[in-house]
Amino acid sequence: MKKSDIALIVLIVLIYIVFYSNIVSSASVEGVSMYPVFQNGALTFYQEPVNVGYHSVIIYKSPQLHTYVIHRVVRVDGNYYVTQGVDKISNPQPDNQIGLEPAPGIPQNYVVGQVIEVDGYIISIPYLGYLSILISSFISAFAR
């Protein structure tokens, strides 16, 4: 058995553990608002929100759009987080000014998770999120 085969098996086992454990959850990125931090179709990992502060990347359920949003916290105001995408072309203003979140920001109880960072680097796997996006699109097409 080659070293590359062993490395591939270890990688598959790690991915299996990550996906099927409750320690870490994954999310697929759709859109370009967080480019270059995330590419469209990237897979990222998140955990329970702890010590969320300025510059943290969070996942929240938008009460306006009823969809999940992955954006960076640009202001903490009491129990509310004001967020914004990193790409200044597609997100020139904070989300509370463009209607993605209420005017005071996202309440803490709408935050689903906090994207995992290691030494300031966000962990994501490019293109792997397309698989999840494709499967959910396929399921929703047949659910209609």
Side-chain angles (χ1 to χ4, degrees):
M1 190 175 254
K2 293 188 261 179
K3 287 183 181 180
S4 62
D5 293 340
I6 294 171
L8 182 60
I9 290 169
V10 169
L11 179 64
I12 290 170
V13 168
L14 285 174
I15 290 173
Y16 180 82
I17 290 170
V18 165
F19 279 115
Y20 293 103
S21 71
N22 289 329
I23 299 169
V24 176
S25 299
S26 63
S28 299
V29 177
E30 290 187 64
V32 295
S33 65
M34 287 296 289
Y35 185 81
V37 175
F38 295 118
Q39 293 179 348
N40 188 27
L43 182 73
T44 191
F45 305 96
Y46 66 94
Q47 60 191 6
E48 290 292 318
V50 290
N51 299 325
V52 174
Y54 175 75
H55 220 253
S56 297
V57 178
I58 61 171
I59 301 173
Y60 68 88
K61 177 103 180 199
S62 170
Q64 274 72 359
L65 301 178
H66 308 292
T67 187
Y68 293 97
V69 178
I70 303 174
H71 276 175
R72 189 175 299 280
V73 174
V74 294
R75 189 174 78 233
V76 178
D77 196 7
N79 291 328
Y80 294 91
Y81 303 117
V82 176
T83 63
Q84 183 174 359
V86 172
D87 179 42
K88 297 298 182 193
I89 295 171
S90 63
N91 283 104
Q93 298 175 319
D95 294 343
N96 64 342
Q97 295 178 13
I98 61 172
L100 277 177
E101 60 190 43
I106 285 295
Q108 285 180 344
N109 61 327
Y110 279 74
V111 177
V112 175
Q114 182 174 356
V115 174
I116 296 174
E117 295 185 37
V118 176
D119 291 331
Y121 294 100
I122 292 176
I123 298 173
S124 69
I125 303 172
Y127 309 114
L128 194 56
Y130 280 127
L131 183 61
S132 173
I133 294 167
L134 183 65
I135 291 170
S136 63
S137 297
F138 185 73
I139 290 171
S140 67
F142 283 102
R144 293 180 189 169

